[in-house]
Amino acid sequence: MPDLARERLDRRFFEVPPRILAPALLGRSLVRVLPNGVRLSGRIVEVEAYLGVKDRASHTFGGRRTPRNEAMYGRAGTAYVYFTYGMHFCVNVVCGEGEGVAVLLRALEPVEGIVEMIRVRRASMKREPTERDLCSGPARLCRAMGIDRSHNGADLVDGETLFLEAGEAVPDRYHARGRRVGVEYAKEWAARRLRWFIGCNPHVSTRA
DNA sequence: ATGACGATTTACT
DNA sequence: GTAAATCGTCATA
């Protein structure tokens, strides 16, 4: 019989507002297939919604549209990968209807390819990484999963190297919410509770 | 051409 | 808790 958790999420799943998609992504699987065929995956345990042109914390705030954020205006189910702080990549799931809205993937619980993830993450740390160090942050998970500039604009619905599988949705009663991280510059938008995570999960980036 | 700034992570005090 | 690392991007000139 088919393994329902390994079914892909269909396009319609992503064609919803970011505040709907964000919590719906908890418990789903982000899958990366390396050039050598090795499969890496993680269960999504923390996300943030970015509400587009009206949201001061969003890269598309005020209708800003540049080569960098172009992918964020793409069709629902597109990956928006950006480079920041001169050294880190972060990945978003574009949603809505081409209006520049997306959900940032902030933390995963490693599932497949953990040994490979440890090997990669070890390179950027002085001490030996623990399993909790691997994907507990938006840039950490990209590093561990081998996600970079080349995945910007990739299709997470039909893609071959980076995509989402159904996994198992997390019931609302296990959801925790809070302010988004690192967006203090966004003034009143910084206080909005647009971050969702699995409250009891040790792989989230921060619990606050 | 220049300068300020990150949707972060790491190590160190 | 604080500070350094590090550079692509974009607004300004």
Side-chain angles (χ1 to χ4, degrees):
Chain A
M1 65 186 274
D3 184 344
L4 296 180
R6 287 206 172 200
E7 293 287 316
R8 299 251 186 149
L9 292 166
D10 62 62
R11 184 76 55 192
R12 284 189 301 255
F13 180 82
F14 302 96
E15 293 172 340
V16 298
R19 274 173 298 194
I20 302 300
L21 182 67
L25 281 173
L26 294 176
R28 310 304 190 171
S29 298
L30 180 67
V31 182
R32 166 93 171 98
V33 178
L34 297 175
N36 62 11
V38 170
R39 193 178 138 111
L40 309 178
S41 74
R43 176 176 177 243
I44 297 171
V45 299
E46 179 183 345
V47 294
E48 284 176 354
Y50 285 85
L51 309 194
V53 301
K54 65 187 178 187
D55 177 4
R56 199 165 198 100
S58 172
H59 288 172
T60 54
F61 175 64
R64 193 159 60 98
R65 187 163 187 160
T66 67
R68 181 206 197 199
N69 69 10
E70 182 60 30
M72 200 166 156
Y73 288 96
R75 76 194 298 208
T78 297
Y80 166 45
V81 180
Y82 67 91
F83 183 67
T84 191
Y85 289 101
M87 61 192 101
H88 301 302
F89 293 101
C90 296
V91 62
N92 292 257
V93 179
V94 174
C95 56
E97 302 175 339
E99 66 219 89
V101 297
V103 175
L104 173 69
L105 302 183
R106 285 198 56 90
L108 308 176
E109 174 181 326
V111 176
E112 297 172 86
I114 293 176
V115 171
E116 185 64 27
M117 293 188 200
I118 290 174
R119 178 165 33 239
V120 170
R121 290 283 290 126
R122 181 184 286 136
S124 51
M125 297 178 63
K126 192 153 220 174
R127 61 184 172 78
E128 180 69 9
T130 66
E131 204 163 305
R132 288 170 54 162
D133 290 322
L134 300 180
C135 298
S136 54
R140 286 175 168 184
L141 75 87
C142 281
R143 189 74 196 274
M145 298 279 284
I147 297 168
D148 61 30
R149 193 182 308 288
S150 72
H151 299 97
N152 187 38
D155 184 3
L156 298 170
V157 176
D158 294 321
E160 295 294 324
T161 66
L162 185 66
F163 50 89
L164 284 152
E165 288 178 348
E168 197 170 336
V170 175
D172 291 0
R173 64 181 178 279
Y174 299 121
H175 293 187
R177 281 177 77 180
R179 299 159 57 109
R180 290 175 295 183
V181 177
V183 296
E184 289 312 306
Y185 61 84
K187 302 182 179 179
E188 71 274 16
W189 283 91
R192 298 282 296 272
R193 295 170 63 232
L194 293 171
R195 172 171 169 259
W196 285 259
F197 56 102
I198 301 176
C200 60
N201 194 284
H203 298 274
V204 299
S205 68
T206 75
R207 307 192 48 102

